[in-house]
Amino acid sequence: VLPGLHSHEKRVMWPAMAIGFGLFLIGAAFAYYLVLPRALMFFYTWSGDMGISNDWRIGEYISFATQFTLLFGVSFELPVVVMVFVKLGLLTYETMSKTRSYAIVAIFVSAAVLTPTPDIPTMLLMASPMIILYEICIWLAYFDQKKQRVAEEQEAREREERLLLAA
Protein backbone atom coordinates (compact mmCIF):
# COMPACT_ATOMS: atom_id res chain seq x y z
CA VAL A 1 0.00 0.00 0.00
CA LEU A 2 2.87 2.38 0.81
CA PRO A 3 3.97 2.94 -2.82
CA GLY A 4 0.44 3.93 -3.79
CA LEU A 5 0.18 6.72 -1.22
CA HIS A 6 0.87 10.39 -1.86
CA SER A 7 3.49 12.15 0.23
CA HIS A 8 0.92 13.97 2.39
CA GLU A 9 -0.87 10.66 3.01
CA LYS A 10 2.40 9.04 4.08
CA ARG A 11 3.02 11.88 6.54
CA VAL A 12 -0.40 11.26 8.12
CA MET A 13 -0.09 7.48 8.11
CA TRP A 14 2.94 7.12 10.39
CA PRO A 15 1.57 9.16 13.33
CA ALA A 16 -1.80 7.43 12.93
CA MET A 17 -0.12 4.03 13.08
CA ALA A 18 1.88 5.05 16.15
CA ILE A 19 -1.24 6.35 17.91
CA GLY A 20 -3.19 3.25 16.91
CA PHE A 21 -0.46 0.95 18.21
CA GLY A 22 -0.29 2.90 21.47
CA LEU A 23 -4.04 2.76 21.93
CA PHE A 24 -4.01 -0.97 21.23
CA LEU A 25 -1.34 -1.50 23.89
CA ILE A 26 -3.26 0.63 26.39
CA GLY A 27 -6.43 -1.37 25.71
CA ALA A 28 -4.63 -4.69 26.05
CA ALA A 29 -2.94 -3.60 29.29
CA PHE A 30 -6.26 -2.30 30.63
CA ALA A 31 -7.86 -5.67 29.90
CA TYR A 32 -5.01 -7.76 31.27
CA TYR A 33 -4.43 -5.88 34.51
CA LEU A 34 -7.91 -4.59 35.37
CA VAL A 35 -10.65 -6.49 33.58
CA LEU A 36 -9.29 -10.02 33.19
CA PRO A 37 -8.82 -10.58 36.95
CA ARG A 38 -12.41 -9.46 37.55
CA ALA A 39 -13.72 -11.72 34.78
CA LEU A 40 -11.82 -14.70 36.13
CA MET A 41 -13.14 -13.95 39.62
CA PHE A 42 -16.65 -13.83 38.17
CA PHE A 43 -16.20 -17.28 36.63
CA TYR A 44 -14.71 -18.62 39.84
CA THR A 45 -17.54 -17.37 42.08
CA TRP A 46 -20.27 -18.13 39.53
CA SER A 47 -19.22 -21.74 39.12
CA GLY A 48 -18.57 -22.06 42.88
CA ASP A 49 -22.09 -20.87 43.64
CA MET A 50 -23.45 -23.57 41.35
CA GLY A 51 -21.28 -26.25 42.97
CA ILE A 52 -19.06 -26.74 39.93
CA SER A 53 -15.29 -26.98 40.25
CA ASN A 54 -13.04 -24.93 37.98
CA ASP A 55 -10.81 -27.26 36.02
CA TRP A 56 -9.28 -24.89 33.52
CA ARG A 57 -6.45 -26.21 31.43
CA ILE A 58 -3.56 -23.95 30.51
CA GLY A 59 -4.55 -23.94 26.83
CA GLU A 60 -8.09 -22.82 27.66
CA TYR A 61 -6.80 -20.08 29.96
CA ILE A 62 -4.29 -18.79 27.40
CA SER A 63 -6.94 -18.84 24.67
CA PHE A 64 -9.43 -16.99 26.87
CA ALA A 65 -6.89 -14.41 28.12
CA THR A 66 -5.54 -13.79 24.62
CA GLN A 67 -8.99 -13.35 23.13
CA PHE A 68 -9.98 -11.07 25.99
CA THR A 69 -6.95 -8.78 25.71
CA LEU A 70 -7.10 -8.67 21.91
CA LEU A 71 -10.77 -7.66 21.95
CA PHE A 72 -10.05 -4.85 24.38
CA GLY A 73 -7.05 -3.75 22.35
CA VAL A 74 -9.17 -3.60 19.20
CA SER A 75 -11.96 -1.76 21.00
CA PHE A 76 -9.48 0.96 22.00
CA GLU A 77 -8.87 1.60 18.28
CA LEU A 78 -12.17 3.51 18.15
CA PRO A 79 -10.53 6.98 17.99
CA VAL A 80 -8.36 5.97 15.05
CA VAL A 81 -11.33 4.66 13.08
CA VAL A 82 -13.50 7.68 13.91
CA MET A 83 -10.77 10.18 13.06
CA VAL A 84 -10.18 8.46 9.71
CA PHE A 85 -13.88 8.93 8.98
CA VAL A 86 -13.61 12.58 10.06
CA LYS A 87 -10.59 13.17 7.81
CA LEU A 88 -12.39 11.50 4.89
CA GLY A 89 -15.37 13.78 5.45
CA LEU A 90 -17.75 10.93 6.29
CA LEU A 91 -18.24 12.17 9.86
CA THR A 92 -18.39 15.67 11.27
CA TYR A 93 -18.44 17.17 14.72
CA GLU A 94 -22.11 18.06 14.33
CA THR A 95 -23.09 14.55 13.25
CA MET A 96 -21.19 12.94 16.09
CA SER A 97 -22.60 15.26 18.76
CA LYS A 98 -26.18 14.93 17.47
CA THR A 99 -26.02 11.12 17.32
CA ARG A 100 -24.18 10.70 20.63
CA SER A 101 -27.03 8.75 22.24
CA TYR A 102 -27.17 6.28 19.33
CA ALA A 103 -23.41 5.84 19.49
CA ILE A 104 -23.56 5.10 23.22
CA VAL A 105 -26.25 2.46 22.67
CA ALA A 106 -24.14 0.95 19.86
CA ILE A 107 -21.11 0.93 22.15
CA PHE A 108 -23.04 -0.90 24.87
CA VAL A 109 -24.40 -3.44 22.37
CA SER A 110 -20.94 -4.06 20.91
CA ALA A 111 -19.45 -4.35 24.41
CA ALA A 112 -22.12 -6.90 25.35
CA VAL A 113 -21.37 -8.93 22.21
CA LEU A 114 -17.58 -8.66 22.41
CA THR A 115 -17.05 -9.51 26.07
CA PRO A 116 -16.80 -13.25 26.50
CA THR A 117 -18.36 -13.15 29.97
CA PRO A 118 -22.08 -12.60 30.53
CA ASP A 119 -21.68 -10.26 33.50
CA ILE A 120 -22.58 -6.59 33.49
CA PRO A 121 -19.43 -5.29 35.27
CA THR A 122 -17.19 -6.67 32.51
CA MET A 123 -19.43 -5.13 29.87
CA LEU A 124 -19.29 -1.80 31.71
CA LEU A 125 -15.50 -2.05 31.94
CA MET A 126 -15.37 -2.36 28.15
CA ALA A 127 -18.08 0.20 27.34
CA SER A 128 -16.90 2.95 29.69
CA PRO A 129 -13.49 3.54 28.07
CA MET A 130 -15.09 3.32 24.62
CA ILE A 131 -17.59 6.02 25.56
CA ILE A 132 -14.79 8.20 26.93
CA LEU A 133 -12.79 7.63 23.75
CA TYR A 134 -15.84 8.52 21.64
CA GLU A 135 -16.24 11.77 23.57
CA ILE A 136 -12.57 12.53 22.97
CA CYS A 137 -13.19 11.87 19.27
CA ILE A 138 -16.00 14.41 19.28
CA TRP A 139 -13.65 17.03 20.72
CA LEU A 140 -10.89 16.11 18.28
CA ALA A 141 -13.35 16.44 15.38
CA TYR A 142 -14.43 19.84 16.74
CA PHE A 143 -10.84 21.09 16.92
CA ASP A 144 -10.07 19.67 13.47
CA GLN A 145 -13.11 21.42 12.01
CA LYS A 146 -12.14 24.66 13.76
CA LYS A 147 -8.60 24.40 12.40
CA GLN A 148 -9.92 23.84 8.87
CA ARG A 149 -12.29 26.79 9.21
CA VAL A 150 -9.46 29.09 10.32
CA ALA A 151 -7.27 27.89 7.44
CA GLU A 152 -10.07 28.52 4.93
CA GLU A 153 -10.68 32.01 6.32
CA GLN A 154 -6.97 32.78 6.12
CA GLU A 155 -6.86 31.54 2.54
CA ALA A 156 -9.91 33.66 1.62
CA ARG A 157 -8.26 36.76 3.14
CA GLU A 158 -5.05 36.11 1.22
CA ARG A 159 -7.03 35.64 -2.01
CA GLU A 160 -8.83 38.94 -1.43
CA GLU A 161 -5.55 40.74 -0.77
CA ARG A 162 -4.04 39.34 -3.99
CA LEU A 163 -7.11 40.42 -5.95
CA LEU A 164 -6.92 43.93 -4.46
CA LEU A 165 -3.21 44.21 -5.22
CA ALA A 166 -3.73 42.95 -8.78
CA ALA A 167 -6.48 45.50 -9.45
Side-chain angles (χ1 to χ4, degrees):
V1 176
L2 197 58
L5 297 177
H6 298 286
S7 61
H8 69 279
E9 293 170 333
K10 289 179 185 177
R11 283 193 306 266
V12 171
M13 185 187 70
W14 294 114
M17 285 179 59
I19 290 169
F21 184 67
L23 285 170
F24 180 85
L25 289 179
I26 290 170
F30 177 77
Y32 188 76
Y33 291 110
L34 285 153
V35 184
L36 186 62
R38 287 176 174 76
L40 293 174
M41 186 56 68
F42 167 78
F43 279 135
Y44 180 75
T45 57
W46 184 53
S47 62
D49 291 343
M50 293 182 359
I52 301 170
S53 67
N54 288 319
D55 293 333
W56 283 28
R57 292 183 172 71
I58 190 70
E60 293 168 345
Y61 170 77
I62 290 173
S63 174
F64 176 76
T66 303
Q67 176 187 7
F68 206 79
T69 54
L70 286 176
L71 286 174
F72 269 82
V74 169
S75 72
F76 271 60
E77 295 292 317
L78 179 68
V80 176
V81 172
V82 170
M83 288 311 292
V84 165
F85 287 152
V86 167
K87 290 293 186 183
L88 291 174
L90 299 173
L91 272 179
T92 62
Y93 160 75
E94 291 86 11
T95 304
M96 290 169 58
S97 61
K98 286 179 186 174
T99 59
R100 177 183 283 126
S101 58
Y102 298 113
I104 290 172
V105 169
I107 287 170
F108 273 108
V109 168
S110 64
V113 170
L114 290 176
T115 52
T117 60
D119 61 320
I120 292 174
T122 305
M123 182 192 69
L124 290 174
L125 283 171
M126 180 179 249
S128 300
M130 288 176 68
I131 291 169
I132 292 168
L133 290 170
Y134 184 77
E135 292 296 326
I136 290 171
C137 288
I138 291 174
W139 283 102
L140 289 173
Y142 170 76
F143 290 125
D144 184 60
Q145 183 179 358
K146 186 177 176 182
K147 184 175 88 173
Q148 285 179 350
R149 193 177 320 124
V150 168
E152 288 172 0
E153 290 172 0
Q154 178 69 22
E155 185 179 318
R157 271 187 255 124
E158 289 174 359
R159 191 178 312 122
E160 279 183 32
E161 288 175 6
R162 279 183 292 186
L163 288 173
L164 290 174
L165 289 175

